[in-house]
Amino acid sequence: MDQIEEIRSKIDLVQFVSEFLPLKKAGRNFKANCPFHNEKTPSFMVSPERQIWHCFGCNLGGDVFGFLMEMERMEFGEALRVLAKRAGITLQTYRPSQGEAEKEKIFEINHLASEFFHYLLLSHEIGKRALNYILQRGIAKNSLEQFKIGYSPPRWEELQKFLVRKKGYKAEELEKAGLVIPNTKYKIQDTRYYDRFRDRLMFPLSDHRGNIVGFAGRLLDPEVKEAKYVNTPETPVYHKSELLYPLQITKEDIKKEGRAVVVEGELDAISSYQAGIKSVVAIKGSALTELQSRLLKRFTENLILSLDSDAAGDMAARRGIETADSLGLNIKVVVLEKYKDPDEAAQKEPEYLKEQIEKAENVYDFYINSAFKRFNGRTAEEKKKIGQEVVPVLAKIEDEIVKDVYVKKLADRLGVNEESVILQIEKLKTKTSPVRGSTAEPVVQKQRRDILEEYYLALLFQTKKVIVLLDKEEKDLFYSPINLKLIEALTVYLSQAKKFSSQFFFKTLPAELKEAFDKLYLIDFGEKIEDEEWAEKERREIRTQLKITKVKEELQAACRKLKGEKAEDKEGKIREQIRFLTQELRKLELL
Ligand SMILES: [Zn+2]
């Protein structure tokens, strides 16, 4: 057994996948909403027997390696290392790819930089002013430690001196990590590179696995006319649109509490965390990105947005909410009347903040309330403005019952007929295309016959009744070349093996059949599959359907023939066949 196979055999795929997604038992298999495309009914299946997964919506599938690579967007080598560690196997030959090695180096450099900044803030004279500032700002000492907050000194080369001279890294490597900038601007300085972060409070930014991917540097003095925040630019490991701060610390709390409180900046997150709101994450700016929503969805389906800006008026925030909504996340919005942001509320009145989070409004209530707050809604003109803002939101609600509830609410508050609101929604629909952007569910079109064949085979394989397929009459039911090949392979296999074993049979299959075979194990029959009586009844039913389809096709073919060769059918052979097939069909339909 090679090492890859050894790893595969030591990790249970169901257990592994369920650490990322809530898997539900479905007969012999497990299912969930697919994490790789948008859907509201599960088509992502995992087979414990075959140790494979497949999504019938987007057609992705594979083993534990493929799952991890897809899920964490890892290279194969990276996934190999992670899974080897988990399986307790020491890899004999392992060489990271160049891209992987580069990422590792950036993590290392960032880690050392964070230690350097952290040391300067907590233990060095140069960080005194910054330390006083942050403590005064209400961030407790143990938070500074937990979040590894640091300070970058007001000098041009301090970090470089440490990392290049003391630790032996190259300045070019620091540039890749985004920590230094090539010196083209400041001619006075006699240096090739200068430090990007100077005289700033430093917040290390980690991915959810705990690798430091970059930094946010915040000004101490709000009066200085520089950008309040300087962040690491996009690097091979830092992608602004993916980051959720500090998910590596709060992800377990998010899972436990079944919700994530989303705030706008690092300090909002830390203050909230300190105040006991542990299931918190911060985004940059006011808009949740699709990648962030997808990442959060791994930990919870419930988001509570507590943003600084008015999310209803802010187009970017609104788009973020729409994306999260279309991914099936439940969204509530916190309204902080008394304070400007969660940071201030957490510092001054943590109980109030907690209360407001508990009282968070459903996002649609929030849209309606927010519009009325801004436009009053007394005159026709004001009512029109409210409609213009809220109707497009309601038009996008997918659940008709929910939509109906909010149509009523809006009509009530505007003092108009429900019909007028519905009419506005209809108008909007005819204007916009029904397809929902690029993330619409892919539709896999298949012939009914193929579906029946697959279903029939799946039933036989999953209930281990494959012996039936040796029967010639059974074989004749099939039409699809791939299914016929599979049955052929099975016939060969069963002529040698005493008993059917999916594991051993799989190994005999050529590559082109392996995938088709695996898919049969993933078709979902629900709990019923355990019921032998049901399975037998279902088998007979499907068999009849397959026969009907077959006879119908033959009938159609015969009719076409008759039309084309009218003169030739002198002996009435074709007519005879048609009569026979029609009778056959009638008999079958009576079954
Ligand atoms: Zn999918």
Side-chain angles (χ1 to χ4, degrees):
M1 198 177 344
D2 68 11
Q3 286 203 301
I4 292 174
E5 218 169 304
E6 200 185 343
I7 292 165
R8 214 183 270 135
S9 72
K10 285 205 171 149
I11 296 172
D12 176 39
L13 183 66
V14 173
Q15 169 68 37
F16 188 75
V17 171
S18 66
E19 286 166 26
F20 296 86
L21 320 167
L23 284 178
K24 285 194 194 88
K25 189 125 175 46
R28 303 235 162 113
N29 294 328
F30 290 84
K31 64 180 173 185
N33 282 337
C34 179
F36 309 123
H37 83 278
N38 294 341
E39 64 175 5
K40 287 190 174 157
T41 46
S43 40
F44 177 91
M45 307 292 298
V46 181
S47 161
E49 184 177 350
R50 302 275 326 111
Q51 291 288 305
I52 43 149
W53 60 277
H54 183 86
C55 170
F56 288 91
C58 63
N59 253 321
L60 283 173
D63 60 7
V64 68
F65 288 96
F67 179 78
L68 185 62
M69 285 161 71
E70 206 57 58
M71 201 68 204
E72 300 279 23
R73 301 212 273 147
M74 282 181 177
E75 306 283 328
F76 178 76
E78 232 179 326
L80 179 63
R81 220 163 5 145
V82 171
L83 293 175
K85 197 170 162 200
R86 184 179 167 121
I89 290 170
T90 321
L91 290 169
Q92 282 148 5
T93 49
Y94 172 68
R95 230 182 259 129
S97 71
Q98 203 191 336
E100 229 180 297
E102 186 183 80
K103 285 183 187 172
E104 279 303 318
K105 184 146 266 175
I106 298 179
F107 291 149
E108 252 173 53
I109 289 174
N110 280 343
H111 177 73
L112 285 172
S114 81
E115 304 248 288
F116 176 73
F117 296 140
H118 188 58
Y119 168 79
L120 292 186
L121 179 70
L122 288 191
S123 319
H124 196 281
E125 189 56 36
I126 205 167
K128 262 268 157 61
R129 186 175 61 100
L131 183 62
N132 287 337
Y133 168 79
I134 187 87
L135 290 174
Q136 230 170 38
R137 221 166 152 313
I139 304 298
K141 189 95 182 268
N142 64 357
S143 295
L144 298 180
E145 270 154 21
Q146 186 166 17
F147 296 96
K148 270 270 172 130
I149 297 169
Y151 173 64
S152 55
R155 301 198 184 142
W156 295 92
E157 289 180 277
E158 215 52 39
L159 181 69
Q160 278 185 83
K161 276 187 203 156
F162 172 67
L163 287 174
V164 178
R165 282 191 218 159
K166 277 213 181 128
K167 298 286 172 185
Y169 289 94
K170 296 193 190 87
E172 288 77 11
E173 292 168 343
L174 269 54
E175 187 192 0
K176 273 218 173 99
L179 288 166
V180 298
I181 300 173
N183 185 12
T184 50
K185 215 160 66 180
Y186 301 97
K187 293 286 181 229
I188 330 128
Q189 295 296 321
D190 181 27
T191 170
R192 280 166 60 224
Y193 291 93
Y194 60 92
D195 290 359
R196 180 182 300 273
F197 301 100
R198 299 177 309 279
D199 195 19
R200 285 170 183 270
L201 274 170
M202 299 299 291
F203 299 88
L205 310 173
S206 296
D207 64 17
H208 66 283
R209 285 179 266 148
N211 302 309
I212 300 178
V213 294
F215 294 88
R218 188 183 195 277
L219 273 184
L220 292 182
D221 185 353
E223 301 302 311
V224 175
K225 280 198 183 82
E226 266 181 75
K228 192 169 164 198
Y229 276 98
V230 165
N231 292 307
T232 298
E234 294 284 309
T235 71
V237 301
Y238 179 71
H239 310 289
K240 183 181 161 205
S241 61
E242 281 175 34
L243 199 98
L244 289 160
Y245 179 89
L247 189 59
Q248 83 281 11
I249 292 174
T250 57
K251 64 183 178 189
E252 291 307 320
D253 293 293
I254 289 173
K255 264 197 225 165
K256 209 165 63 198
E257 291 178 28
R259 67 165 195 204
V261 178
V262 180
V263 297
E264 257 183 56
E266 287 82 14
L267 280 174
D268 284 315
I270 296 171
S271 298
S272 302
Y273 191 88
Q274 254 181 203
I277 299 147
K278 304 227 157 176
S279 53
V280 69
V281 282
I283 55 178
K284 295 251 176 227
S286 54
L288 257 174
T289 66
E290 180 171 345
L291 288 170
Q292 286 166 333
S293 292
R294 283 189 188 279
L295 183 53
L296 277 174
K297 205 180 166 191
R298 278 198 233 160
F299 304 101
T300 182
E301 306 228 307
N302 302 308
L303 305 188
I304 300 177
L305 304 185
S306 183
L307 307 176
D308 307 358
S309 58
D310 178 2
D314 181 345
M315 276 315 285
R318 236 163 108 158
R319 264 199 302 279
I321 290 173
E322 263 175 37
T323 312
D325 187 49
S326 74
L327 289 174
L329 290 159
N330 307 312
I331 305 150
K332 289 184 173 180
V333 180
V334 178
V335 183
L336 292 177
E337 304 270 357
K338 287 161 76 177
Y339 301 99
K340 84 172 195 305
D341 55 29
D343 176 29
E344 194 187 47
Q347 304 270 358
K348 293 194 174 142
E349 208 182 335
E351 286 315 309
Y352 170 78
L353 180 61
K354 281 185 197 162
E355 255 167 49
Q356 294 310 105
I357 288 171
E358 293 314 319
K359 284 202 301 208
E361 309 178 314
N362 176 291
V363 68
Y364 305 116
D365 282 310
F366 164 75
Y367 275 124
I368 294 175
N369 291 338
S370 160
F372 273 90
K373 241 178 260 163
R374 278 172 291 134
F375 304 119
N376 278 317
R378 271 170 297 219
T379 65
E381 194 51 39
E382 286 168 353
K383 286 182 192 198
K384 185 177 152 196
K385 275 190 184 149
I386 291 170
Q388 277 169 344
E389 187 170 302
V390 181
V391 167
V393 176
L394 301 190
K396 284 188 185 121
I397 301 180
E398 277 190 16
D399 190 303
E400 293 301 326
I401 296 169
V402 176
K403 190 190 280 181
D404 196 46
V405 170
Y406 284 97
V407 165
K408 280 204 181 86
K409 266 194 189 174
L410 179 62
D412 263 7
R413 286 194 61 179
L414 286 172
V416 301
N417 279 328
E418 276 169 49
E419 280 71 38
S420 337
V421 177
I422 293 167
L423 222 69
Q424 284 301 109
I425 290 179
E426 291 303 321
K427 266 194 206 164
L428 213 65
K429 271 191 184 158
T430 50
K431 263 191 240 165
T432 52
S433 78
V435 183
R436 199 176 196 153
S438 58
T439 47
E441 281 187 36
V443 183
V444 182
Q445 285 274 351
K446 256 200 184 155
Q447 296 289 326
R448 178 180 142 82
R449 172 159 195 152
D450 289 339
I451 295 169
L452 278 174
E453 281 188 19
E454 256 175 32
Y455 190 81
Y456 190 62
L457 279 181
L459 196 62
L460 292 177
F461 275 106
Q462 287 193 28
T463 54
K464 301 203 165 63
K465 293 270 160 59
V466 285
I467 197 100
V468 174
L469 289 165
L470 294 182
D471 199 337
K472 163 122 187 9
E473 215 184 310
E474 293 285 321
K475 280 182 198 165
D476 284 346
L477 291 172
F478 291 88
Y479 182 81
S480 132
I482 199 119
N483 292 338
L484 285 169
K485 276 187 204 163
L486 206 55
I487 295 170
E488 198 41 54
L490 180 77
T491 313
V492 174
Y493 172 80
L494 286 177
S495 71
Q496 287 153 6
K498 278 191 199 129
K499 236 181 104 201
F500 177 75
S501 142
S502 64
Q503 223 71 349
F504 288 120
F505 176 53
F506 181 75
K507 287 200 174 130
T508 68
L509 292 175
E512 52 160 354
L513 293 181
K514 279 195 158 110
E515 199 190 335
F517 176 68
D518 269 343
K519 262 197 204 168
L520 297 177
Y521 277 84
L522 293 163
I523 287 176
D524 180 20
F525 294 101
E527 298 299 331
K528 303 181 299 265
I529 192 87
E530 307 290 347
D531 179 351
E532 266 187 47
E533 215 172 288
W534 174 86
E536 184 50 28
K537 218 178 123 219
E538 185 76 355
R539 188 180 78 81
R540 268 188 253 125
E541 173 65 22
I542 304 301
R543 197 173 180 283
T544 309
Q545 293 298 324
L546 264 174
K547 265 190 152 175
I548 290 177
T549 320
K550 192 182 172 214
V551 173
K552 274 187 182 164
E553 272 167 22
E554 284 172 1
L555 203 54
Q556 276 169 358
C559 287
R560 270 199 305 272
K561 212 171 168 193
L562 190 65
K563 256 191 186 169
E565 309 171 7
K566 234 174 210 166
E568 265 80 15
D569 193 30
K570 280 184 188 133
E571 294 159 44
K573 267 193 179 161
I574 300 175
R575 278 173 220 280
E576 175 59 30
Q577 196 196 0
I578 291 176
R579 248 192 314 277
F580 171 76
L581 287 169
T582 315
Q583 274 173 4
E584 200 57 6
L585 188 62
R586 228 172 263 148
K587 264 191 262 166
L588 283 169
E589 280 172 342
L590 284 174
L591 279 180

